[in-house]
Amino acid sequence: MKRKHAMLAGVTALALLASGAVVASALNDVPQDAQPAPSPTADLNRQPTPAPIPIPLPDPPRPVPQEPAPEAEPAPTRPVAITPPAPVIVVAEAPAAEEDEAEAEEEAEARVEAPTEPPPPPGRRQRRRVAIVEAVDKITAERMRFEVEVGGRPVRFQKTLIFTARACEVSAPDELVEDSIAYLEVSIQPRGVLQPADPRQIFRGWMFASAPAVNGLQHPIYDAWVVGCKA
């Protein structure tokens, strides 16, 4: 029995120690309240004020002997006439800036009076007879490049799109960018079993080969743009 009591007491002590450690660790995790930090000036204010140190006063200044004022000449009995000096006349020279401005004005007048040659006339674009067009079906991914004669017979793509070329020209030699520009009309004609419907125009305007996205055909199913011009 004594052994059992001793074992129970040991187990109870271990449990108390473990619970105390758990409680201590739990208390360490809980934040504590902030406390004001001591001010160093407060400690300085609490120190006793030292006694003042006596400062010796300087000796009073000694009197300086003053010299007697010189005797002034007596005032004249009659007023004395004062003749002012003759004024000095200085001739100012013209600054160099004004001379430079005058020379610049003369040069500008001379340039205006001189005959200027007129600029050369701009180059003329050359017309072509055939426009080269490229079209794509976005559903079937079918792409085709074909020719459309200017003022000729329209061309049908995918049995739905109808292309008509009104003009096709290339850039002039003096232009910075070599380009091909075509004026196209694009119509769409829905498929009909018995009686086909009339064509409906979906695009009309100039297309540029150098910038297809500027003014190309944008349709939910079809895309088309000009590629070049052919003689």
Side-chain angles (χ1 to χ4, degrees), residues 18-38:
S19 62
V22 172
V23 172
S25 62
L27 290 176
N28 290 332
D29 296 336
V30 177
Q32 62 180 355
D33 296 335
Q35 301 293 333

Side-chain angles (χ1 to χ4, degrees), residues 7-70:
M7 292 176 65
L8 290 174
V11 170
T12 304
L14 291 174
L16 291 175
L17 291 174
S19 62
V22 172
V23 172
S25 62
L27 290 176
N28 290 332
D29 296 336
V30 177
Q32 62 180 355
D33 296 335
Q35 301 293 333
S39 177
T41 57
D43 297 339
L44 293 176
N45 293 332
R46 295 194 190 97
Q47 296 180 3
T49 305
I53 299 174
I55 300 174
L57 297 176
D59 297 335
R62 298 179 179 179
V64 179
Q66 297 182 358
E67 297 180 358

Side-chain angles (χ1 to χ4, degrees), residues 178-219:
E178 296 183 0
D179 200 358
S180 298
I181 308 99
Y183 191 89
L184 300 178
E185 294 178 357
V186 184
S187 302
I188 187 170
Q189 187 176 17
R191 297 177 180 178
V193 179
L194 299 177
Q195 184 178 1
D198 296 334
R200 178 172 56 88
Q201 191 176 80
I202 59 175
F203 177 84
R204 182 178 64 182
W206 291 96
M207 289 187 180
F208 301 86
S210 61
V214 172
N215 196 27
L217 173 64
Q218 295 180 358
H219 188 266

